[in-house]
Amino acid sequence: MDTTNQSTNFSDIIKNSIMDNFVSDISISKILITLAVSFIIGLFIFILYKRVFSGVLYSKSFNVSLIGMTMVTAMIIIAVNSNLVLSLGMVGALSIVRFRTPIKDPTDLIFLFWAAAAGIVTGAGFFTLAAVGSVIVGLVMFLFIKNTSADTPYLLVVNCDSDESEGLVHSELRGLVKRYNVKQKTVSHNNIEMTLEVRLRDGEGRFVNQISELGGVKSAVLISYNGDYVS
């Protein structure tokens, strides 16, 4: 028995099994269907993110990028599946990519991974997995995030002249709103400016007049959001 031929045949089998997983030509119909499915899933992620967003500032550009990430990732996976050499080169090229955009909300990171994972699965041709998985993930995100973000956040900007007046503001707020936290504080000569995120007790902003009338308080402004800002 020739061991050389056995070794050669075994190598050929391994090589053929690997090459069979790659196609040299990509049909237009496959490209269009894959991109269409990835767009629909990306649009679903876009709508859900806008509905469940619970932060202070809503970024429409970030939300739109979720659709783009889903489609671009799907396109990359189509190319990777079509050529072995290209797949190896793509891994090397993508390994040097660095994303410098800071993610302030951990929920945003979940949506980013979701968009990338949906693009990978869709590009690989597992449309059912991508659709069913996205629906399940979407339901979980909606149920948990929406229930914890029922209160609309507002920004309260207060200018006061001393530490004593700042203490009065904090004491008054504890009895007027559900909860609040200081987002920013700027101290200068005879002036303290605070930006506080507040959750209103009854949905009304009449308490601002009470804050403005406190001793040492120069101004108090309550800010809500519309348009590109979620109110």
Side-chain angles (χ1 to χ4, degrees), residues 66-196:
L66 296 176
I67 301 178
M69 175 175 288
T70 307
M71 299 184 67
V72 170
T73 306
M75 183 174 61
I76 292 174
I77 297 302
I78 294 175
V80 167
N81 283 340
S82 66
N83 189 282
L84 176 60
V85 177
L86 179 61
S87 65
L88 297 176
M90 192 73 72
V91 171
L94 294 178
S95 65
I96 65 174
V97 176
R98 296 291 184 269
F99 298 97
R100 300 295 185 182
T101 303
I103 302 298
K104 298 180 180 179
D105 190 345
T107 306
D108 293 348
L109 192 60
I110 296 175
F111 278 92
L112 282 173
F113 274 110
W114 180 10
I120 292 172
V121 175
T122 304
F126 301 107
F127 300 145
T128 303
L129 174 60
V132 175
S134 293
V135 170
I136 294 175
V137 172
L139 287 175
V140 171
M141 298 291 288
F142 181 82
L143 291 176
F144 282 89
I145 298 178
K146 195 65 175 177
N147 287 340
T148 59
S149 60
D151 298 332
T152 301
Y154 291 83
L155 286 183
L156 177 65
V157 182
V158 179
N159 282 278
C160 50
D161 58 9
S162 64
D163 293 335
E164 290 75 13
S165 57
E166 179 187 351
L168 290 176
V169 172
H170 287 292
S171 300
E172 193 75 13
L173 280 176
R174 292 188 186 99
L176 294 175
V177 301
K178 284 185 178 181
R179 62 182 184 274
Y180 75 93
N181 63 291
V182 179
K183 305 294 290 185
Q184 184 178 0
K185 179 179 177 180
T186 304
V187 179
S188 59
H189 181 65
N190 292 331
N191 186 73
I192 299 176
E193 181 180 275
M194 294 185 296
T195 301
L196 308 100

